[in-house]
Amino acid sequence: MLVPYSWLKNYVKIDLSIEEFTKRMVMSGTAVEGYEDCGKEVSNVVVGKLLEIVDHPNSDHLHICQVDVGAGSPTQIVTGADNMKVGDLVPVALHNSYLPGGVHIEKGKLRGEVSNGMMCSGEELGVPSDVYPSNTDHGLLILQGDLTPGQDIKPVLGLDDVIIDFDILANRPDCLSVLGLAHEASVAAGNPVTEPSYEYKTCGGDVNELVSVRVEDNDLCKRYCAAVVKNIKIEPSPLWMRQFLHKAGVRPINNIVDITNFVMLEMGQPMHAFDLNSVRGRQIIVRRAHEGEEMQTLDSKDRKLTPNMLVIADAEGATGLAGIMGGEDSEITDNTDLVLFESACFDGPNIRQSGRYLGMRTEAQGRFERGVNVRLCKQALQRALALIDELHAGEVVDGIIDIYPGEEELPVVESDIDYVHTLMGIDVPAEKMCEILDSLGIETKVEGNKLISKAPIWRQDIRMGADIAEEVLRIYGYDYIPSKLMQGETMTGRDSAANIRDKLLRKVLCGMGAYETVTYSFITPKWYDALLLPEGDPLRKSAKLLNPLGEDYSYMRTTLIPSMLNTLSTNMNRGNAAAAFYEISKVFLPKELPMTELPEERPALCIGLYGEEYDFYFIKGMVEETLKKMGISDLTFKRAAVPYLHPGRSAEVYAGDTYIGLFGEVHPDVADNFRFRGRGYVAELNIKVMDELTAGVCDVQDMPKYPSVQRDFAFVMTEETPVGDVMKLMEKIGGKLTEEVKLFDIYRGVPILPGQKSVAISIILRNREHTLTEEEISAVTDRIISEVSEKFDAKLRS
């Protein structure tokens, strides 16, 4: 927040250099980003009075002026300006003077005539026309007021001031005002605060006869105050007000608008002024917007409102967005003669949501979002009326409308002194704590071992003992906290079981050529449609975000599959011929909708492949190898029946009877929905189940001393025959001699008949006590041929 140093000094006597003052403010807890000396680049510029103006003999546009600059005798200056006359007061840059931007002025000659300096425009001095209306785009700055020739120009134009940039934290909305900062400055300077005047004269009448006010939604409007001023005189504000507003970053407009902005900066209370003659029915209604309601704001833009937005309405419709911006229909104009001033406390979260929805951002909106002090609404309105009276801008009608149904007493905080000492880390005497708190406006007394503190009207953040401890410590000084060595036990750090597991999974999958991906945990609901999930499918039971980034990120995902399909599609469409990815993340599974508790966050693994080198058996092998490395054995596979996988090229994987996940080729229709340019393959495994199935330390065996024997079989069987069942039977027949059974080929084509397939399976046998004999081997192989042929109606391929 930008605050002129001179404005603070209106309320607190500060006899400190700017360096010392800002240092004390920082040490007491009010951050200062920096400060700027308004006139640091201006020197040797004074007020001059024009005594004589004659045309330059050698120029058709230059003038020779004799100027009184307080030096005893007139000073001759040549100028090209033509907006001055004899008797005018103007800024004069004398010989060896400096202007903003490092401009150096020295005496010289113009067309043969001596010029002992330069008369200045407002632009050359950095003074905008908003502050000094007599300042034109081209020409000299004509000064107003009772000024003395030779007088330093800095105090005349307010350039002898310093602008301080305070960084106000979210928990101190009271410091978003000059008066709030003045209370902090009073502690730093050691002097009390002098409040501004709230007194004003009225002209009689009754405000209730001129306007009626009704608040329909008290949950969004805690307090609403209104007053009426008649016989308004629209004119520029006085110079001191224009200067203060300009230095604080607000553009002066006219006396009425400037008063509302001045009070907002001074007291932190946003205000608004309505042209009461433009308020239809002379009614002010604070309500939620109606469905489909529209209005035009002061920036001449049409706004479509929603029922969640709070508006200020008249008898016929919305005339202002509460806490954000007024309507163009009730704007203050040069013809306004009857004004209603509004001072209210609107709900901050509602203001924020409305502004964000409409894409609007205003100074008033920001203050309501941080929290406006409901107790100061009426006082701020009285201050505005006092300024109206002081500036003779109109006549105040008797009475103030004040709708405040939930009025609360100032909070009183009881703090245990020992508890406060514990929070601070140091023991500060109770009397000293009372002195500090009283200096901050927090009336405090000691009763036994307790501090009884009453928060001042301008503070909303004093609610508990921790707040009292903070206030005492920041003024007493953090330097008094004694230094202590950290205490604790040194212990060896180690990864959690989940981190160890994830590292193993990454090692295994990267070793198989896959790259890890990380995607958002929230997805678009359109992806569920793209997966061809039917209505009522458990995967559609998703948690919806209350404040999403957009529709594409509005639901917490219940499966990793759509995110992986989107990743595969992106790589396909960007020209990558083949790719293999995996993602280790969480899925979010609500127990019920609407949710009454947080969803289950279940860890999951997803694998995705595409390219000529990949097929169904490749991703099946990746799944098997991953589970094997996790110590999970006794795997079986069953045909999967999910809409997003190919019905004939997909499978579910089990360990015994426990379901782990599924894998397979992406269904062609789903592939089209995700804009695939070929076949893709995905797998999704439940890591939580994998953790439960992990065997831990496997059996340790000696290295085999005797050789193994491998025998290969090629069986012709029907397409429907599950190969996994055949492999399990072969493993069972081999018994303790079986070391490994694996599928290494499936063939379809001539001479295999349609509807059949040739399956090539190898079995490795080993006896750990002796070398296998031909009789032992033949006993196993003959039995395999016999039982597979009998149970699966298969034939050994010759």
Side-chain angles (χ1 to χ4, degrees):
M1 178 177 175
L2 301 177
V3 178
Y5 199 18
S6 60
W7 199 349
L8 278 175
K9 290 180 178 180
N10 277 358
Y11 313 115
V12 183
K13 182 181 179 182
I14 306 176
D15 297 321
L16 301 171
S17 67
I18 185 63
E19 294 81 6
E20 179 63 21
F21 174 71
T22 54
K23 178 182 177 181
R24 292 191 184 186
M25 291 294 283
V26 170
M27 294 306 296
S28 65
T30 305
V32 177
E33 288 289 317
Y35 57 85
E36 179 184 358
D37 186 343
C38 297
K40 65 180 179 180
E41 295 183 308
V42 178
S43 65
N44 204 22
V45 181
V46 300
V47 175
K49 183 176 182 179
L50 286 163
L51 303 177
E52 181 182 284
I53 304 173
V54 298
D55 292 338
H56 196 295
N58 300 319
S59 173
D60 59 356
H61 69 281
L62 296 177
H63 307 282
I64 302 173
C65 303
Q66 301 299 321
V67 187
D68 180 3
V69 294
S73 59
T75 297
Q76 179 171 301
I77 296 178
V78 179
T79 180
D82 58 4
N83 67 320
M84 68 290 186
K85 64 182 183 299
V86 172
D88 281 347
L89 297 171
V90 296
V92 178
L94 302 175
H95 170 63
N96 198 28
S97 60
Y98 286 89
L99 301 179
V103 178
H104 189 199
I105 304 299
E106 294 182 295
K107 67 180 180 180
K109 287 187 176 182
L110 291 176
R111 299 282 181 94
E113 295 292 335
V114 175
S115 181
N116 294 297
M118 183 180 77
M119 293 184 287
C120 303
S121 66
E123 182 180 359
E124 289 164 332
L125 291 169
V127 179
S129 58
D130 291 336
V131 177
Y132 233 102
S134 61
N135 177 21
T136 59
D137 293 337
H138 302 285
L140 302 180
L141 172 58
I142 308 301
L143 303 174
Q144 307 292 332
D146 185 15
L147 306 176
T148 303
Q151 180 179 349
D152 187 0
I153 200 66
K154 289 185 180 181
V156 174
L157 299 179
L159 299 177
D160 58 339
D161 204 355
V162 177
I163 300 175
I164 308 173
D165 186 3
F166 291 100
D167 183 14
I168 308 302
L169 300 179
N171 67 323
R172 291 299 304 274
D174 59 295
C175 287
L176 281 173
S177 66
V178 180
L179 264 177
L181 289 168
H183 286 288
E184 297 295 307
S186 72
V187 180
N191 293 311
V193 173
T194 301
E195 291 281 336
S197 172
Y198 302 100
E199 301 296 327
Y200 56 90
K201 297 190 296 290
T202 61
C203 65
D206 184 356
V207 65
N208 293 291
E209 294 178 357
L210 296 174
V211 65
S212 67
V213 178
R214 184 172 77 251
V215 178
E216 294 184 354
D217 293 287
N218 293 108
D219 58 323
L220 300 183
C221 179
K222 296 179 181 178
R223 189 175 188 180
Y224 193 94
C225 300
V228 174
V229 179
K230 65 180 183 178
N231 297 327
I232 288 291
K233 300 174 184 176
I234 303 293
E235 57 188 7
S237 302
L239 179 60
W240 61 267
M241 182 177 285
R242 298 197 303 271
Q243 288 179 341
F244 280 158
L245 291 174
H246 171 69
K247 292 172 186 177
V250 177
R251 182 174 66 90
I253 298 174
N254 59 51
N255 54 350
I256 302 302
V257 176
D258 291 352
I259 284 173
T260 62
N261 287 332
F262 184 87
V263 172
M264 177 180 69
L265 295 174
E266 183 182 50
M267 302 191 65
Q269 172 64 52
M271 297 186 66
H272 186 66
F274 297 87
D275 184 337
L276 192 52
N277 287 325
S278 300
V279 175
R280 293 159 294 193
R282 294 283 181 91
Q283 296 180 33
I284 293 293
I285 306 168
V286 185
R287 59 168 173 80
R288 285 178 167 86
H290 297 152
E291 185 70 47
E293 192 168 14
E294 297 185 10
M295 66 164 291
Q296 190 173 64
T297 47
L298 284 171
D299 54 4
S300 300
K301 293 183 178 180
D302 293 326
R303 308 288 182 178
K304 293 184 178 180
L305 311 179
T306 68
N308 295 324
M309 297 177 183
L310 189 67
V311 298
I312 309 300
D314 57 19
E316 298 182 19
T319 187
L321 281 168
I324 302 177
M325 187 179 290
E328 199 166 64
D329 292 343
S330 57
E331 179 183 11
I332 301 298
T333 67
D334 292 341
N335 298 320
T336 299
D337 65 352
L338 188 64
V339 168
L340 179 137
F341 283 94
E342 166 195 277
S343 178
C345 181
F346 301 119
D347 181 66
N350 178 267
I351 298 299
R352 180 179 182 274
Q353 291 169 7
S354 299
R356 182 174 179 181
Y357 181 86
L358 295 170
M360 302 176 69
R361 189 71 188 169
T362 64
E363 179 75 17
Q365 175 186 346
R367 291 171 183 272
F368 279 115
E369 289 176 5
R370 288 198 175 195
V372 166
N373 193 334
V374 66
R375 298 185 181 93
L376 293 179
C377 290
K378 185 174 180 179
Q379 193 174 6
L381 181 57
Q382 290 170 329
R383 175 58 176 156
L385 298 177
L387 288 169
I388 289 286
D389 187 36
E390 178 184 342
L391 303 184
H392 306 290
E395 299 174 359
V396 181
V397 176
D398 276 358
I400 289 178
I401 297 173
D402 185 5
I403 302 176
Y404 189 14
E407 185 171 358
E408 300 175 0
E409 296 291 330
L410 291 172
V412 176
V413 179
E414 293 188 11
S415 313
D416 185 88
I417 292 177
D418 293 334
Y419 172 69
V420 172
H421 287 164
T422 301
L423 289 178
M424 294 191 298
I426 53 175
D427 292 345
V428 180
E431 295 75 15
K432 183 63 177 178
M433 289 195 286
C434 288
E435 179 186 334
I436 290 172
L437 292 168
D438 286 340
S439 70
L440 290 167
I442 305 171
E443 298 177 10
T444 304
K445 60 183 178 180
V446 179
E447 291 184 1
N449 196 44
K450 291 185 179 295
L451 294 176
I452 310 300
S453 306
K454 184 177 182 181
I457 191 173
W458 63 86
R459 294 290 296 272
Q460 305 177 74
D461 59 316
I462 307 299
R463 299 183 179 277
M464 60 184 72
D467 299 324
I468 298 299
E470 179 186 8
E471 295 300 303
V472 172
L473 187 57
R474 71 184 180 92
I475 303 301
Y476 188 73
Y478 297 106
D479 294 342
Y480 288 99
I481 301 175
S483 299
K484 293 182 180 180
L485 292 175
M486 294 179 61
Q487 296 181 349
E489 297 180 4
T490 303
M491 54 193 307
T492 304
R494 62 179 181 180
D495 278 336
S496 65
N499 282 344
I500 294 172
R501 173 204 68 211
D502 291 348
K503 285 183 178 180
L504 174 61
L505 289 173
R506 291 185 178 99
K507 181 179 179 181
V508 172
L509 291 162
C510 288
M512 290 187 284
Y515 290 88
E516 184 174 10
T517 66
V518 179
T519 59
Y520 282 116
S521 295
F522 19 84
I523 62 173
T524 172
K526 295 178 181 177
W527 279 355
Y528 292 142
D529 297 330
L531 289 177
L532 305 180
L533 296 177
E535 292 295 331
D537 191 286
L539 292 181
R540 286 185 176 269
K541 190 178 178 181
S542 301
K544 185 177 182 180
L545 298 178
L546 292 177
N547 189 23
L549 296 174
E551 185 185 4
D552 289 347
Y553 306 97
S554 56
Y555 282 81
M556 302 301 293
R557 61 187 175 187
T558 56
T559 170
L560 303 183
I561 293 290
S563 300
M564 180 59 71
L565 294 180
N566 185 58
T567 300
L568 296 178
S569 172
T570 300
N571 281 269
M572 284 184 187
N573 288 287
R574 292 185 180 176
N576 293 328
F581 299 110
Y582 70 92
E583 180 174 9
I584 303 170
S585 188
K586 292 180 179 180
V587 294
F588 301 83
L589 307 173
K591 295 179 176 61
E592 59 181 351
L593 291 179
M595 291 192 303
T596 57
E597 56 183 310
L598 292 175
E600 177 190 355
E601 298 183 22
R602 181 182 298 170
L605 167 66
C606 189
I607 305 171
L609 317 167
Y610 74 87
E612 291 185 1
E613 63 262 47
Y614 300 124
D615 58 14
F616 171 81
Y617 298 104
F618 194 98
I619 197 167
K620 177 177 181 287
M622 291 183 73
V623 170
E624 289 180 302
E625 182 66 16
T626 301
L627 295 175
K628 178 181 177 183
K629 295 296 185 183
M630 289 282 289
I632 301 173
S633 57
D634 190 25
L635 300 179
T636 58
F637 301 91
K638 298 179 181 179
R639 189 183 301 274
V642 292
Y644 49 85
L645 294 181
H646 193 293
R649 300 178 191 140
S650 59
E652 296 175 341
V653 57
Y654 291 81
D657 295 328
T658 304
Y659 173 78
I660 301 175
L662 46 70
F663 61 90
E665 181 182 327
V666 180
H667 193 287
D669 292 340
V670 175
D672 290 341
N673 292 339
F674 281 88
R675 298 186 298 112
F676 274 27
R677 293 189 174 185
R679 294 183 177 182
Y681 305 89
V682 291
E684 185 172 31
L685 305 178
N686 186 334
I687 291 181
K688 182 180 179 181
V689 172
M690 291 163 60
D691 287 338
E692 295 169 354
L693 294 172
T694 298
V697 179
C698 301
D699 293 337
V700 179
Q701 297 179 342
D702 293 333
M703 292 289 291
K705 299 178 181 179
Y706 302 100
S708 63
V709 174
Q710 178 174 323
R711 291 291 183 267
D712 297 336
F713 301 87
F715 291 107
V716 178
M717 59 188 70
T718 62
E719 284 282 5
E720 291 75 19
T721 303
V723 177
D725 292 348
V726 175
M727 295 172 65
K728 289 185 67 174
L729 177 61
M730 293 174 63
E731 183 180 359
K732 180 180 179 182
I733 292 171
K736 293 183 179 180
L737 300 181
T738 304
E739 193 166 87
E740 184 179 8
V741 177
K742 62 181 179 180
L743 170 73
F744 65 88
D745 184 50
I746 294 180
Y747 174 74
R748 298 176 179 86
V750 180
I752 306 301
L753 298 175
Q756 294 186 328
K757 59 188 176 184
S758 173
V759 179
I761 304 173
S762 68
I763 184 170
I764 298 176
L765 305 173
R766 189 196 304 269
N767 191 313
R768 290 186 171 272
E769 298 177 356
H770 63 268
T771 302
L772 286 170
T773 64
E774 190 61 38
E775 290 79 10
E776 290 175 308
I777 299 170
S778 297
V780 173
T781 56
D782 291 346
R783 187 180 169 193
I784 287 174
I785 295 171
S786 173
E787 294 193 19
V788 169
S789 300
E790 179 182 345
K791 289 189 177 182
F792 299 102
D793 192 23
K795 295 181 181 179
L796 187 68
R797 183 179 174 190
S798 58

